[in-house]
Amino acid sequence: ANSRRCAEELSQFRYLYVPAVNSELTSQRVLTTEFIHGIKISDRDTIQAEGMSLVDIDKQMLRIFSEQIFHTGFVHADPHPGNMMVRRVDNNPQIVLLDHGLYEFLPSRIRSALCGLWVAVVENNYQEMERYGAELNVEDYRLFAMALTQRYVKPTKEQLEKDFLAQFMNKKGPKKFDRKAFNKLPEEEKEKLRASIREFHDRMFDVFQKMPPKLMLIMRNLNTIRSIIKDHESGVERSREMARVAVSGRYSG
């Protein structure tokens, strides 16, 4: 049922294929689908050797899952490399999505707030981050936004005064900082840093406790596709690609 629904809801994407289920050979315990020849999506050398573009594939993958997260709300929660293959169809790459056993469904209220939060992060709009964080039951919107998007959100001036860890960050995230650099710090700053790390851990735990439980599997999806794109080294800007879909998803009902 999940694979059929996925195929129907994403039928407009010719660069996606969901293997057909063979109903005659399927039971409650056994699922039988058509066999597909393809290349594992993590095998970038073979993909490139076949003349397919990793940039195109990554953009297509992001479009597929953005559609699920921000529009349909019916999200494949386990898109690891073993569940995605790439093949060439009509001289273009096509992603084959497998194993539809684990899905999460986002109600429109959660999905709409998620759209707004994602766009707010890309636009560095703190007021909107706070607004949509509240809609998702999270007060610590900045930390929540970073956990969700895996993108560093610099603190406001007010937050900076309370956030000792921020001085070890730049606009891209953590600065280079190792044990040798830590040992050079005065003892007072070392203790401040330790306390800040403990506080960060407690804040993150609080965020996970308060956010809608349904978002746990959405984060699993987001982190998995982020890892694939990172390994591809395609240079595709994940956050902005997804924000383009989130903009329209906010108003899709």
Side-chain angles (χ1 to χ4, degrees), residues 117-118 120-122 124 126 129 138 140-156 159 163 165-166 169-174 200 203-204 207-208 211 219 222-223 226 238-239:
L117 180 64
W118 196 281
V121 171
V122 172
N124 289 317
Y126 290 83
M129 283 187 229
V138 176
D140 198 339
Y141 65 88
R142 175 174 163 260
L143 197 58
F144 178 46
M146 288 193 289
L148 178 71
T149 64
Q150 293 294 299
R151 174 186 173 117
Y152 181 64
V153 179
K154 65 180 182 180
T156 62
Q159 292 168 340
D163 191 349
L165 280 178
M169 306 284 183
N170 56 33
K171 63 181 181 179
K172 293 185 177 180
F200 183 89
R203 287 168 57 202
M204 185 63 77
V207 164
F208 287 139
M211 74 179 192
M219 287 184 170
L222 291 168
N223 283 328
R226 178 182 65 88
R238 179 179 57 94
S239 299

Side-chain angles (χ1 to χ4, degrees), residues 38-204:
I39 305 166
K40 195 173 180 180
I41 200 167
S42 58
D43 188 354
R44 67 177 190 177
D45 291 338
T46 303
I47 290 172
Q48 289 177 311
E50 289 293 318
M52 291 183 281
S53 165
L54 291 172
V55 171
D56 290 345
I57 290 168
D58 287 349
K59 286 184 177 182
Q60 291 167 357
M61 179 175 62
L62 288 170
R63 185 66 182 86
I64 289 165
F65 292 118
S66 295
E67 182 73 13
Q68 289 192 327
I69 293 170
F70 299 131
H71 281 262
T72 71
F74 189 61
V75 185
H76 193 304
D78 197 21
H80 62 76
N83 284 340
M84 280 194 284
M85 298 190 300
V86 180
R87 64 178 182 172
R88 185 191 293 278
V89 176
D90 296 330
N91 210 34
N92 293 306
Q94 184 182 66
I95 294 172
V96 180
L97 187 57
L98 309 171
D99 192 356
H100 297 264
L102 185 62
Y103 267 73
E104 184 61 271
F105 177 71
L106 293 176
S108 59
R109 179 186 62 82
I110 294 177
R111 180 184 52 74
S112 180
L114 203 58
C115 290
L117 180 64
W118 196 281
V119 174
V121 171
V122 172
E123 294 180 343
N124 289 317
N125 188 325
Y126 290 83
Q127 185 175 355
E128 292 289 272
M129 283 187 229
E130 184 173 13
R131 171 190 171 187
Y132 293 116
E135 288 188 18
L136 293 166
N137 197 41
V138 176
E139 295 178 12
D140 198 339
Y141 65 88
R142 175 174 163 260
L143 197 58
F144 178 46
M146 288 193 289
L148 178 71
T149 64
Q150 293 294 299
R151 174 186 173 117
Y152 181 64
V153 179
K154 65 180 182 180
T156 62
K157 290 183 179 180
E158 294 77 12
Q159 292 168 340
L160 187 58
E161 295 176 1
K162 304 175 184 178
D163 191 349
F164 184 73
L165 280 178
Q167 68 177 276
F168 299 97
M169 306 284 183
N170 56 33
K171 63 181 181 179
K172 293 185 177 180
K175 300 176 183 176
K176 185 177 180 181
F177 189 76
D178 53 21
R179 179 171 292 277
K180 185 176 181 181
F182 175 79
N183 289 335
K184 290 181 180 180
L185 294 175
E187 283 302 319
E188 183 180 353
E189 290 195 9
K190 287 180 183 177
E191 186 51 42
K192 277 186 179 180
L193 185 55
R194 293 188 187 101
S196 294
I197 292 172
R198 289 193 294 268
E199 180 192 20
F200 183 89
H201 177 273
D202 291 342
R203 287 168 57 202
M204 185 63 77

